[in-house]
Amino acid sequence: MPAVAMPSDSHAALRRDVRHLGTVLGDVLREAGGEALFARVERVRRLAKSARRRPGDSRGRGRLERGIGELSSAEALQLARAFAQFLSLANVAEQHHRVRRARQYRRREGAAPQPGGVRDTLRRLRAEGLPPERIAESLGGLCVEFVLTAHPTEIARRSLLHKFNRIADVLALRDRPDLTPGERREADAALRREITAIWFTDEIRRGRPTPQQEARGGLLIFEQTLWDVVPRFLRGLDESLHAELGVGLPPGATPVRFGSWMGGDRDGNPNVTAAVTREVCAIARWIGASLYAREAQALYDELSVEACSDELRARVGPGRAPYRRLLREVRDRLGATLDALDVQTAGAARGAQAAATEVMPDGPPPYERTAELREPLELIDRSLRAVGLTAVADGRLWDVLRRLDAFGLSLVRLDIRQEAASHTAVLDAVTRHLGLGAYAEWDEAQRLRFLQAELAGQRALVPPELPLEPPEREVLETFRLLASLPPESLGAYVISLAGAASDVLAVELLQRACGVVQPLRVVPLFEMLAALEGAGEIVRALLAVPGHADRASRRLEVMLGYSDSTKESGRLASAWALYRAQEAIVAACGAAGVHVTFFHGRGGTVGRGGGPTRQAILSLPPGAVDRRLRLTQQGEMIQAEFGTAGLAFRNLDLATMATLEATLLPAAAPRPEWRALLERLATDARRAYRDVLDEPGFVDFFRAATPERELGLLNVGSRPPRRGKNGGLASLRAIPWVFAWTQVRLILPAWLGVGEALGAALDAGSGEALRALYRDWPFFRTTLELVEMVLAKADAATFARYLAVLVPPELKPLGQSLLARLHRAEHAVLTIAGHRVLLEENSMLRRSIDVRNPYVDPINLLQAELLRRVRAGDQAPETLDALLVTMNGIAAGMRNTG
């Protein structure tokens, strides 16, 4: 398949890579399907490009639509696969090009550093007059934690992701200027092998993954990139600090850490049980121990030196190779750790009781805590430095110690997430059994009195004979499990759909009642609009509870949910509610003398709070970033952000430096007149958004116009797409909601209501005020830029085809009104931004979208036709497979799923 042209000299290497990958794919198509397949793909590609060049020529678009409509299901499957695979290869080339440009910045000695990176940020902070010691102190206490989740948005199979990563490695190899002709031929042959293997690989998941499989797959990112990238990043940070400030990264500083929800997130997922959580914790610890065992062996091979300190000699006794003698002990204990974890994971398949009763053979004890592994390594470090071998200590050993800072022995800390209503149900069963009344029927004041009294007392609250329904029994089993797991394996306990201070105290009480000696910090998650609007008062009430702030070490963590609030109220209203919630929480914590850490539950798409991380952090309210921040990395974003070493390095750099900058130079508070205008915009946008969603027939329209009903065939994740069994929009999770609209290229959740709100303000004469907000307020500018990006990705002509083919006549007017709203949003955004075309100031993204459109368009037209056939009763395997491949292809072309 011939490649696209990207007309920019600075991106000549990208054009070269895409052209080469397209040529290889074209050769594979000829070999696999013959000239007929290649000719069919080329004909459709030419028609699609012609239709894009002449958008007003309906005849060209008509020829493309008719040609696709005449294909058999078998032909449609092959065509969809060809275009989908080309788009995936183009994604690989674009990601590699980002890494290549970052390396070009770092290679230029004396040139300006890459924007947003560590040296650029340190220089700007110095230019603002901040003293070096204050910058260094803030950086020493910085902690950005990336929390990996199994949210079902990673549509590509892991076997294909591995192949894409190997293709990126070959592209990097081809960049080397010193390759011999033979080496270049070998690299090209490797590309051909990988692309051929991709063509002959089934890209469709044939079964739904288990939570354990999700966890194993997600944790591979540590072996794939993060294990090596994190110490390299910390080393670079240390060097930059020395160069710019004259100080280094303090020992033990942990500016980056990692958590996980995989196997711990039971919010609406009945497949995540206490037994699953136990097994996933053991899996993570096993991966961590195996990686440390590999490092211990490498250190053993390296440290053959004899000179050592008296302290080390006293530890190992007389004899040769003192370091190796101590490292042999480390290796043996890591081996014992792996053996013990093998028993646990094997026993998990037979039940927790079986695992608990296994007897380990005699031998060295396994490591239980990070400090046990750190102690001998720090002794070796002190010894090497004492005898003048600082250069040796600063090598591999330094990296291992930094890994212990970032990963610990458990690799990640697992969060637990559960709905507030589940805890209420357990406590209701307890109070009824004890004859105290119905906890679920009490008001907030009654609940708080009960909870405070129980937390202050010593009663064994949960009797062994307590009768419970299976869901409530599972909740208690989870709390009992927490008491038995290594504390270092656990992170936070997140309460979804939290709506009151009692929700937090309930989890505190249940942890104590079930014997959790080192309680997990309890994190309320505010995600619906009402909870966000009341977040400040909820936090104020919580901090007024005697003893709570002290039990939490005077630091409160609060999670903010972006997806559900956007689904409920629209992007603009949600963004403003989230901003005001953070302001209110900061004020409440400040009044109580408590520090706050915000945990941002952002998805990959704009409709779920996604967007560039650096801009998002820098646009947060004053005081919302106090050196600490937690961010979810959901589904496809794990690979997008950390899938290659270069991308992982750059994204760690951007996130940590943005957090440092937001801590030391927070954005200014908005002026009163800006707040008033935003309040009006948010109200108008929410009203317009709800007017559409509440319109009679909208649910039927949504299900007719999008593949929402068919998304379940993808087997993307272990979690059901709905909360509960209600068939309405309220029960539909945000991921399939956004996914469905992205597939049909309308991307409605990210812009609906914006055009009406901005248009009304423009009509009322507020144009200059809006332009001032866009120019001077980072929050508003970032919000509008994200909407502009989504509008650039949306395509009215494509959605019109779904409307024509799939929607019954009585519902078509609703679709036409949505297209009119789309055009109004585009006009309003362009007017305020002062742009002639969308993304005028982001030429690279504009080109990327423009060159992708002719390759995504045929897949969309195929999907509309295949949906028509499936809904008409065609359930042939080839038809269903072709439909699923179109979902893969559109996700690849749009660079997003849900």
Side-chain angles (χ1 to χ4, degrees), residues 112-155:
Q114 191 168 16
V118 56
R119 294 212 172 186
D120 173 64
T121 302
L122 293 178
R123 291 178 187 182
R124 284 187 291 103
L125 292 175
R126 291 294 307 278
E128 292 289 336
L130 290 166
E133 54 273 15
R134 185 181 173 198
I135 299 172
E137 179 189 8
S138 294
L139 191 49
L142 201 74
C143 184
V144 182
E145 185 170 359
F146 302 91
V147 182
L148 312 184
T149 80
H151 281 49
T153 64
E154 176 55 87
I155 198 167

Side-chain angles (χ1 to χ4, degrees), residues 239-319:
E239 292 172 356
S240 296
L241 279 170
H242 276 293
E244 301 294 334
L245 303 181
V247 298
L249 191 65
T254 51
V256 293
R257 284 187 178 179
F258 298 89
S260 173
W261 278 13
M262 296 178 287
D265 181 10
R266 57 243 308 127
D267 175 19
N269 189 349
N271 299 308
V272 178
T273 64
V276 165
T277 297
R278 180 187 297 279
E279 184 176 355
V280 167
C281 280
I283 290 169
R285 289 175 70 83
W286 191 95
I287 294 172
S290 67
L291 290 169
Y292 285 117
R294 188 179 72 189
E295 298 300 328
Q297 181 60 51
L299 284 171
Y300 181 90
D301 295 339
E302 180 180 289
L303 293 178
S304 58
V305 297
E306 297 292 335
C308 70
S309 66
D310 292 341
E311 181 188 19
L312 181 66
R313 179 61 69 187
R315 171 71 174 272
V316 302

Side-chain angles (χ1 to χ4, degrees), residues 1-15:
M1 181 181 290
V4 297
M6 296 186 178
S8 171
D9 288 341
S10 63
H11 304 303
L14 174 59
R15 297 199 310 273

